[in-house]
Amino acid sequence: MAKLSNRFWFQLHGWFSLPIWLIFCFVCITGTIAVVSHELTWLTNPAARATNPDNLTAKPIAELIAAVEQAYPTADVGSVMVLEPYLVNAVIFTDHDKPQAIAYVNQYTGEIQQVNQGITFIGFMRSLHGWLLFPWQSSYSIGYYLVSAMALVMLGALITGLIIYKSFWRSFTQPKIRFNQGKKTVLTDLHRLAGVWSIWFLIVMSATGLWYLVQAVMWHADIDIEPHAPLVAAAQLPATQQTPPVSFADAMQIAKQRFPDFQPSYLMLPEHNRGMYNLMGGGDHIFYDQYAYNLSINPWTGDIAQEKSPATMSALQTISHIADPLHYGTLGGIWTKAIWFLFGLLLSGMSITGFMIWGSRTVKAVRASRASTVLQEAHDGAK
């Protein structure tokens, strides 16, 4: 009975991954690359590097916007993305000959180093990993469901793997890889060793993936986790004045006064006369993402119409803002990214070695079945 039980768990462990092995492996590999997509951008695109040989302080973002507007007088700047200190700021704008463009502006020198009119490598990898580039239909994407459902596969593989591998904790103190006992033994030892040392990582990926699945269902059901940005009341619009008196620089100052540790990450300018400055950023909270703070500032009055911070978040909002740092390893900067990248490689390797182990067992079983059939036919013929 014990042998039957072990065989059952082994088969279940395989079936948790094998039917969708290619998707699972692809998601693991693209996620591993997405973790270091910012660093790969820095490495491969010199125009994206925020070089600062003179050790200058970063210029106010309002000056970077002004530099783009000076270079492109008819441009309409819509938003600004602030990335790592070693990457340029991305000023997103439209122009008469540019439906959408991203100006790479060095925040230390104020120089426009490149204008990109296509998808960036960072955006491409996040989209490829997040929803496999499947189209979004209204508020859902089949690709997003497929990717987030991999959390169930990962969790099932983890649980069944621990049941199969008796005394797995010995791999922490007595790791072994038997190189002299054949290819199958080496693959099995590598698979088990990587799995045991990745238990914590598998738990984190499964938990955050399950949240993404829940989040997808909520989006599909039109259940809002975050409130929509408010609009300026029509009664507050002046009858004659066309330009709002509160500038972008003023709005940034208001945000800093409200939250002294506010570190801007995504800043949206008003799209029309009833639009507001929607400023998002991070703070000193290590487990929250770079959008944990959110302020909507009225450009006509300077009032904060809506705000959000870790102190005022609901339970669902808190989960939403801690999921990404845990999933992508951004909570400790480049050092935790390196750790997540390493374990992402291990997870990708486990997917491949697991398939190879299953393949060798399957080939062996098929050969044994064929040999048995031949022997049976020979025996029947002898009669």
Side-chain angles (χ1 to χ4, degrees):
M1 181 64 72
K3 289 184 179 180
L4 289 176
S5 178
N6 286 337
R7 183 184 179 191
F8 166 78
W9 287 114
F10 183 83
Q11 289 178 336
L12 185 61
H13 180 71
W15 278 106
F16 262 115
S17 302
L18 295 174
I20 38 78
W21 174 81
L22 187 60
I23 297 176
F24 182 75
C25 185
F26 185 78
V27 168
C28 291
I29 293 173
T30 54
T32 301
I33 297 173
V35 166
V36 292
S37 58
H38 288 198
E39 288 67 32
L40 290 175
T41 297
W42 182 92
L43 187 65
T44 58
N45 185 3
R49 301 172 190 169
T51 53
N52 187 18
D54 298 325
N55 293 321
L56 302 172
T57 57
K59 295 179 179 294
I61 298 175
E63 290 188 20
L64 307 184
I65 294 176
V68 174
E69 292 175 337
Q70 183 177 1
Y72 300 92
T74 58
D76 182 14
V77 176
S79 57
V80 180
M81 294 182 64
V82 181
L83 306 172
E84 284 84 353
Y86 48 84
L87 290 176
V88 295
N89 286 186
V91 180
I92 303 169
F93 68 98
T94 60
D95 206 345
H96 61 87
D97 60 342
K98 297 177 179 63
Q100 185 176 36
I102 305 174
Y104 293 179
V105 188
N106 189 318
Q107 61 268 34
Y108 305 109
T109 65
E111 178 188 358
I112 300 175
Q113 299 181 173
Q114 186 180 31
V115 175
N116 187 345
Q117 296 188 61
I119 187 171
T120 64
F121 176 73
I122 296 171
F124 173 76
M125 288 310 307
R126 287 295 180 100
S127 301
L128 187 62
H129 173 66
W131 52 88
L132 306 176
L133 297 181
F134 274 66
W136 283 83
Q137 303 173 16
S138 184
S139 57
Y140 78 96
S141 168
I142 295 176
Y144 195 93
Y145 275 116
L146 283 173
V147 173
S148 54
M150 293 300 105
L152 299 173
V153 173
M154 193 180 304
L155 186 60
L158 172 62
I159 294 172
T160 54
L162 294 179
I163 293 174
I164 294 168
Y165 190 15
K166 309 299 182 184
S167 305
F168 64 87
W169 53 87
R170 291 178 182 172
S171 291
F172 291 116
T173 57
Q174 301 173 9
K176 63 178 181 180
I177 301 176
R178 294 165 290 182
F179 291 102
N180 58 348
Q181 296 186 25
K183 174 183 175 182
K184 178 182 173 182
T185 302
V186 172
L187 288 175
T188 301
D189 287 347
L190 286 172
H191 187 77
R192 288 177 174 177
L193 190 62
V196 171
W197 280 86
S198 300
I199 289 175
W200 70 271
F201 188 73
L202 289 166
I203 292 174
V204 171
M205 293 299 105
S206 298
T208 51
L210 287 174
W211 164 249
Y212 293 142
L213 182 59
V214 171
Q215 186 174 250
V217 174
M218 295 180 70
W219 285 343
H220 201 164
D222 292 328
I223 299 174
D224 293 326
I225 300 174
E226 304 282 356
H228 294 283
L231 296 175
V232 176
Q236 291 182 313
L237 297 177
T240 57
Q241 189 175 3
Q242 298 296 320
T243 304
V246 179
S247 66
F248 176 79
D250 296 332
M252 290 295 294
Q253 185 63 31
I254 293 170
K256 275 288 187 181
Q257 290 174 353
R258 180 65 186 89
F259 298 117
D261 61 340
F262 179 76
Q263 299 170 8
S265 60
Y266 189 64
L267 312 167
M268 300 176 63
L269 282 67
E271 295 182 356
H272 43 75
N273 62 352
R274 293 191 60 189
M276 296 196 181
Y277 294 109
N278 293 305
L279 312 179
M280 288 167 269
D284 293 333
H285 301 271
I286 185 173
F287 287 106
Y288 288 85
D289 63 14
Q290 68 270 36
Y291 308 111
Y293 291 92
N294 193 329
L295 300 97
S296 295
I297 298 175
N298 190 321
W300 299 99
T301 65
D303 295 333
I304 299 177
Q306 182 176 282
E307 67 176 60
K308 181 193 67 185
S309 69
T312 60
M313 286 182 185
S314 65
L316 289 179
Q317 289 172 346
T318 299
I319 296 173
S320 178
H321 286 279
I322 66 175
D324 269 11
L326 290 173
H327 193 77
Y328 290 102
T330 58
L331 65 168
I334 194 169
W335 297 109
T336 50
K337 282 186 182 183
I339 295 172
W340 260 244
F341 177 75
L342 174 62
F343 279 90
L345 290 178
L346 284 178
L347 185 56
S348 302
M350 286 169 57
S351 174
I352 295 171
T353 55
F355 183 78
M356 293 174 69
I357 293 169
W358 174 84
S360 64
R361 286 177 180 267
T362 302
V363 170
K364 183 178 179 181
V366 169
R367 286 176 178 174
S369 177
R370 287 177 178 175
S372 176
T373 301
V374 170
L375 288 174
Q376 184 63 40
E377 290 176 350
H379 178 73
D380 294 340
K383 292 179 179 180

